[in-house]
Each structure stands twice: as C-alpha cells, then as structure tokens.
Amino acid sequence: MSDENLLDKLPTDLIFRLPPSFETVEEERQHRKERLTAALRIFGKFGFEEGVAGHITARDPELTDHFWVNPFGMSFKHIKVSDLILVNHEGKVVEGRYPVNEAAFAIHSQVHQARPDVVAAAHSHSTHGRAIAALGQTLEPITQDVCAFYQDHGLFDDYTGVVTDLEEGKRIAAALGDHKAVILRNHGLLTVGTTVDAAAWWFVTMERSCQVQLLAKAAGTPVPIEPENAALTHQQIGNDIAGWVNYQPLYDQITREQPDLFE
C-alpha cells in the first residue's frame, strides 16, 4: 500500500499524528535537527554505539547537498541539538564546533547524492546487525515485522576496511539501490527514509529482526512466510508513513525522559 493510499484510509474524526508540514525552511530545519538528535539519543539508549562508530544524517531542507550529522567522538547519549554539525558536499563543516567522522561523510554523502528522495540515513555498529553482516546474510521473511524489508534491502557483499573513500561510499549507495536498507558485510546496517523518523525506525526494527533471525535459527528451522503474504505484508507495513507512525512512541519516550536534547 502506498503512502497516499494509507492516508486515504485514515479516520477523519480521530486524533492521528502524521508528518507535519512547514511554513518556512527555518521551521523545517529545526524540526529535522530535533528529530535527528532524538534519534541519536534513542540509538544511545539502545546500545547501538561502538566507540566513535555510527552516525545518522539529515539532509538540510534548503542546502540540499548539505547534511546535519552527529559530531565525531561524542556519545549518542549526550548529543544536543546545539552539538549537531552541518557538512557540505566537500566534507567541510560549515556550521558547528566539532569535526565530522570521515566515514560518515564517505558513506552518507554518496547515499544522499544517489537518493534525492532520502532525507535521512542511519548507520551504526549494532550487535545483532553485525552478527548478520558477519554471516553475509540477508533477512528472511520469518516474522510479520521483518516483512517491512521483504525484497526491500540489499547486501554490500564486500569489506575493504574502514570506509574513508568516496568510491567505496558510491559502491555502498549502489548496493542500497532504491531499497530502504542495506546490510554491509562484516560491518553493520544502514537504513534510509523520507523522514528522520522513518530512517531511525527502520534501523531499530531491522536490528531487532536480525536478533530474531539469529535466535530462530539457533533454536531450529524457521517457518518462512509465503512469498505472496510476505509481499502483502510489505505493502502494509513497509512504507515510510508506517515507519514514521511506528517511531512516534519511541520519540515520545526519549523526549520526555531526556528533554535536555533540545538544548
């Protein structure tokens, strides 16, 4: 089901949150920065960081070849809106007080360039994502939730070290293709979305789906969902509006628990 069809089916007399619209680019920029910071805090809360590895980016709504990103070397758990940095297409920090992670620029700049529809991209070295990546596997349709990725994620089937080369970033973007996610072999997960919320949700649920697949296969032989049912479920839960909606409880939780992120 497309985002448009989903919206047509929503009730008109009940409160139902949907992605907001903005009157000014300044309002939209502030919104993206707040959502980005909240997503980073959620990643920190869920233990998705590994040292200085991991980054989430949000395309600037005005300077569309620039993106906002977490600073290099700062814990996800401590980042505030005022800590975010703005990076241009050359990898230079044009706003902010901190340096950019070189790998963040090499990967995300190429993803954003290849996918003009993408507002946000999330990559980190989460535990179960790395385990699936170490196996060189993709996700199988064995649960309802994982069907969000059915025929909608790729595999970057190579590893050549820490990504600092733009050409490597281009290869990752090519492996992503027009999907919402890609598994980077021996590395981790990367997800994208038309909103920060969707990109962050896809990462959270993809990491959990990796965990379920590992557990199920360790316990026995998983029973797959039939292809036609997996495809239908993907239509129902795999669009970015569904991703945005699923993310809202997490956003509410983190902003109430850690309101200092807005500083």
Side-chain angles (χ1 to χ4, degrees):
M1 182 184 298
S2 69
D3 290 0
E4 292 78 10
N5 290 338
L6 178 64
L7 295 177
D8 291 340
K9 292 180 178 294
L10 294 178
T12 58
D13 57 343
L14 300 177
I15 296 173
F16 195 97
R17 287 185 294 176
L18 290 171
S21 56
F22 305 93
E23 294 185 0
T24 68
V25 70
E26 290 79 14
E27 290 178 356
E28 187 169 10
R29 177 180 294 119
Q30 183 64 23
H31 175 83
R32 290 187 185 183
K33 291 172 68 177
E34 290 175 357
R35 296 286 168 152
L36 174 57
T37 306
L40 290 161
R41 290 290 186 103
I42 288 169
F43 276 34
K45 181 178 180 179
F46 289 170
F48 291 167
E49 58 187 339
E50 184 77 10
V52 299
H55 15 84
I56 310 176
T57 54
R59 190 191 302 272
D60 187 82
E62 180 181 20
L63 306 171
T64 56
D65 61 349
H66 292 47
F67 58 78
W68 296 91
V69 64
N70 48 299
F72 178 71
M74 181 177 290
S75 171
F76 290 170
K77 297 177 181 178
H78 299 157
I79 293 173
K80 301 177 181 181
V81 170
S82 58
D83 294 321
L84 297 176
I85 58 176
L86 181 64
V87 180
N88 69 11
H89 66 285
E90 297 177 340
K92 296 179 180 178
V93 176
V94 297
E95 187 172 333
R97 301 167 292 166
Y98 302 95
V100 64
N101 185 318
E102 190 175 356
F105 175 70
I107 296 172
H108 289 250
S109 65
Q110 301 310 302
V111 168
H112 282 286
Q113 182 175 319
R115 290 285 300 276
D117 60 307
V118 162
V119 165
H123 165 65
S124 196
H125 297 181
S126 55
T127 300
H128 302 98
R130 279 185 291 172
I132 289 290
L135 296 171
Q137 294 182 359
T138 54
L139 291 171
E140 301 173 15
I142 58 174
T143 69
Q144 174 174 295
D145 303 289
V146 78
C147 287
F149 301 96
Y150 182 67
Q151 297 183 340
D152 198 10
H153 68 294
L155 173 66
F156 181 62
D157 197 12
D158 194 10
Y159 180 80
T160 59
V162 177
V163 181
T164 58
D165 184 356
L166 291 181
E167 290 303 315
E168 191 81 345
K170 289 179 181 178
R171 294 175 63 214
I172 290 173
L176 172 67
D178 61 358
H179 301 314
K180 65 163 59 76
V182 60
I183 295 171
L184 312 179
R185 200 193 76 200
N186 305 111
H187 190 171
L189 310 177
L190 184 143
T191 60
V192 299
T194 54
T195 60
V196 174
D197 302 55
W201 172 252
W202 297 138
F203 192 97
V204 170
T205 194
M206 191 177 199
E207 163 66 12
R208 290 171 172 170
S209 292
C210 290
Q211 182 179 11
V212 169
Q213 182 163 309
L214 291 164
L215 287 170
K217 287 192 168 185
T221 303
V223 177
I225 296 172
E226 294 293 332
E228 61 271 22
N229 292 327
L232 172 62
T233 307
H234 176 268
Q235 292 177 6
Q236 295 169 327
I237 67 171
N239 60 78
D240 269 14
I241 289 293
W244 189 93
V245 170
N246 273 293
Y247 179 76
Q248 298 318 295
L250 294 180
Y251 179 81
D252 291 343
Q253 290 170 29
I254 203 70
T255 55
R256 292 182 186 184
E257 292 173 3
Q258 304 178 25
D260 66 305
L261 68 87
F262 292 111
E263 296 175 4

